[in-house]
């Protein structure tokens, strides 16, 4: 909790230097996680809290997530407890260009190979194209990930839509240095698509990722899949409604994966996510 307080204090110190043209949002998330056919994990829950602060030319985001997962003992000696901290800053250079940097760190009580890992991101956005480079720095190996996203907007009467075509290229460095990452491939290429729509106070979305990936940074830098699980398919959908300053959302995510160190395949991971946002 000390780290959370330090991050929150730094966040408030920075934003207090700006004027009155601003908007803020507070978000809470609750995530249920179900693992099928896993040799190590059974069920889990994740809790998250985020603070967003936006001025005319800058956007600050702070996110904290805690995950508790029941494990099979043996092979593991304890249940899994993970804490992740995320920071992101976006600078709007002009009407067409933006620059963003991000940072995340991980605390994991079981997987020592990734405990204390640091993830750095830097990106550039020009109109509807975004290019981001991530570097995940772990004790024995590193992961380099390049994301390219093209967003196309279209209106169908009162329905406004945005379709994002994405590609992730992931390269592992020093993967042979430890059993945790040794069985992973050296390179991965993962295409994906997301569709989001708005109609009056309702919003909805769907998406999918195809191809395999491992140790991936997801959700524009706010998710890190830091365990040695090779995901091969991901499907997601969600719906939400806004009530004045309150926004309620529900999402469902289905993934297939392989536990790489022990070559345990056909794992199915399902998430049900609820999010409440309050803008002020």
């Amino acid at each position: 909790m000390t780290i959370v307080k330090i991050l929150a204090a730094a966040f408030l110190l920075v934003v207090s230097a700006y004027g009155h043209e601003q908007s803020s949002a507070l978000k809470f998330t609750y995530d249920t996680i179900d693992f099928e056919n896993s040799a190590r994990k059974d069920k889990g829950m994740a809790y998250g809290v985020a603070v967003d602060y936006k001025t005319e030319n800058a956007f600050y985001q702070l996110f904290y997530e805690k995950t508790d997962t029941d494990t099979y003992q043996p092979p593991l000696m304890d249940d899994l407890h993970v804490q992740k901290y995320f920071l992101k800053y976006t600078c709007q250079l002009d009407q067409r260009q933006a620059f963003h940097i991000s940072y995340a760190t991980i605390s994991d009580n079981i997987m020592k190979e990734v405990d204390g890992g640091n993830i750095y991101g830097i990106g550039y956005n020009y109109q509807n194209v975004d290019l981001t480079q991530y570097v995940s720095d772990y004790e024995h190996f590193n992961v380099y990930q390049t994301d390219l996203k093209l967003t196309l907007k279209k209106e169908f009467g009162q329905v406004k839509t945005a379709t994002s075509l994405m590609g992730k290229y992931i390269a592992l460095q020093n993967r042979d240095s430890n059993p945790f990452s040794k069985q992973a491939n050296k390179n991965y290429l993962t295409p994906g698509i997301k569709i989001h729509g708005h109609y009056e106070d309702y919003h909805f979305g769907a998406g999918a990722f195809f191809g395999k990936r491992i140790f991936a940074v997801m959700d524009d830098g706010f998710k890190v899949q830091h365990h040695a699980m090779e995901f091969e398919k991901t499907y997601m959908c969600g719906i939400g409604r806004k009530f004045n300053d309150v926004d309620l959302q529900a999402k469902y995510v289905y993934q297939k994966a392989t536990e790489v160190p022990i070559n345990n395949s056909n794992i199915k991971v399902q998430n049900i996510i609820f999010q409440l946002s309050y803008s002020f």
Side-chain angles (χ1 to χ4, degrees):
M1 292 301 295
T2 302
I3 298 179
V4 176
K5 292 179 180 178
I6 293 174
L7 293 177
F11 179 86
L12 293 174
L13 180 63
V14 171
V15 302
S16 64
Y18 288 83
H20 298 290
E21 295 183 5
Q22 54 189 309
S23 62
S24 303
L26 187 61
K27 303 177 182 180
F28 300 94
T29 59
Y30 173 72
D31 183 352
T32 65
I33 314 167
D34 180 75
F35 296 89
E36 182 179 337
N37 301 326
S38 172
R40 299 181 174 183
K41 302 176 184 178
D42 184 14
K43 297 181 183 294
M45 292 181 293
Y47 313 86
V49 58
V51 179
D52 295 348
Y53 180 87
K54 189 174 184 179
T55 67
E56 183 178 358
N57 298 314
F59 188 27
Y60 303 88
Q61 296 167 277
L62 169 66
F63 179 50
Y64 167 76
E65 182 183 62
K66 185 179 188 299
T67 306
D68 298 315
T69 305
D70 296 332
T71 65
Y72 297 112
Q73 304 170 26
L76 299 181
M77 301 297 294
D78 198 358
D79 287 333
L80 178 65
H81 304 290
V82 177
Q83 297 183 79
K84 296 178 181 177
Y85 307 85
F86 301 86
L87 290 168
K88 187 172 183 178
Y89 166 70
T90 302
C91 177
Q92 193 71 39
L93 302 175
D94 55 38
Q95 292 183 346
R96 297 181 298 175
Q97 301 179 89
F99 166 81
H100 53 86
I101 56 175
S102 62
Y103 170 74
T105 186
I106 300 167
S107 173
D108 191 307
N109 70 314
I110 292 181
M111 304 301 177
K112 301 304 179 183
E113 296 86 349
V114 289
D115 179 44
N118 297 298
I119 297 89
Y120 307 92
I122 183 170
Y124 172 73
N125 178 272
Y126 181 78
Q127 292 184 333
N128 61 340
V129 178
D130 189 273
L131 178 65
T132 305
Q133 179 65 47
Y134 296 103
V135 178
S136 300
D137 180 17
Y138 300 115
E139 183 176 0
H140 299 294
F141 67 102
N142 295 327
V143 182
Y144 297 90
Q145 176 178 322
T146 304
D147 282 10
L148 181 62
K149 179 169 66 174
L150 171 66
T151 301
L152 305 173
K153 296 183 179 181
K154 185 76 173 178
E155 293 187 16
F156 301 91
Q158 292 182 295
V159 180
K160 299 179 180 180
T161 67
T163 302
S164 296
L165 305 176
M166 299 167 288
K168 295 179 178 289
Y169 174 73
I170 299 171
L172 276 64
Q173 182 186 55
N174 298 327
R175 64 187 174 95
D176 294 330
S177 64
N178 64 96
F180 188 74
S181 60
K182 187 174 183 179
Q183 302 302 320
N185 295 334
K186 185 177 180 180
N187 302 290
Y188 292 85
L189 181 61
T190 306
I193 182 172
K194 286 185 179 181
I195 301 173
H196 193 264
H198 283 269
Y199 174 73
E200 295 183 348
D201 293 329
Y202 294 91
H203 52 95
F204 48 89
F209 283 95
F210 313 96
K212 296 181 178 180
R213 68 183 189 273
I214 197 169
F215 304 119
V217 181
M218 307 293 291
D219 291 352
D220 295 324
F222 290 98
K223 290 287 183 183
V224 181
Q225 296 171 331
H226 69 290
H227 286 175
M229 296 185 69
E230 186 180 73
F231 293 91
E232 58 178 286
K233 294 179 181 178
T234 300
Y235 304 103
M236 64 198 85
C237 62
I239 189 169
R241 185 181 180 184
K242 191 170 184 180
F243 302 87
N244 296 323
D245 295 329
V246 176
D247 191 346
L248 299 177
Q249 298 182 51
K251 304 176 185 177
Y252 172 75
V253 182
Y254 172 87
Q255 302 182 94
K256 289 189 66 176
T258 298
E259 290 170 327
V260 170
I262 57 176
N263 194 29
N264 180 37
S265 60
N266 197 34
I267 299 172
K268 299 175 182 178
V269 186
Q270 299 184 74
N271 299 68
I272 298 176
I273 306 164
F274 300 98
Q275 179 175 291
L276 183 150
S277 303
Y278 173 65
S279 301
F280 56 97

